[in-house]
Amino acid sequence: SLSAQTEAPFYEEWWFLLVMALSSLILILLVVFALVLHGQSKKYKNCNGGKTISNVEESVTLDNGGFTALELNSRHLNI
């Protein structure tokens, strides 16, 4: 005689449910990450149109013939 019991379908197995849950979590995190990056790029795209960089470059004074000097000799470090 044949048994009437059959194995459970694969979609009811614990490993399949675990794989689906982890895959869904990764997909949700990727979508959130993409939306955050898209929002950040849109925010910086609309911000001043690159005028901040030129203002910073103009505020640098070049005292020694075109090179910025680092005043490391004025600091005395105790070793």
Side-chain angles (χ1 to χ4, degrees):
S1 72
L2 296 173
S3 175
Q5 292 181 346
T6 60
E7 290 187 25
F10 72 94
Y11 53 84
E12 291 181 358
E13 295 289 332
W14 67 271
W15 53 267
F16 182 76
L17 296 175
L18 181 67
V19 167
M20 291 304 292
L22 291 176
S23 299
S24 300
L25 180 67
I26 290 172
L27 183 66
I28 289 171
L29 288 175
L30 285 174
V31 168
V32 168
F33 185 67
L35 289 174
V36 167
L37 282 180
H38 181 68
Q40 289 289 332
S41 66
K42 186 179 281 188
K43 181 173 72 172
Y44 288 118
K45 186 177 182 181
N46 293 334
C47 181
N48 289 337
K51 293 180 182 176
T52 306
I53 296 171
S54 63
N55 290 339
V56 170
E57 290 174 353
E58 291 172 0
S59 67
V60 174
T61 59
L62 303 176
D63 294 332
N64 57 353
F67 295 101
T68 57
L70 297 175
E71 299 291 332
L72 294 177
N73 293 332
S74 65
R75 294 181 59 198
H76 299 292
L77 301 176
N78 295 331
I79 298 176

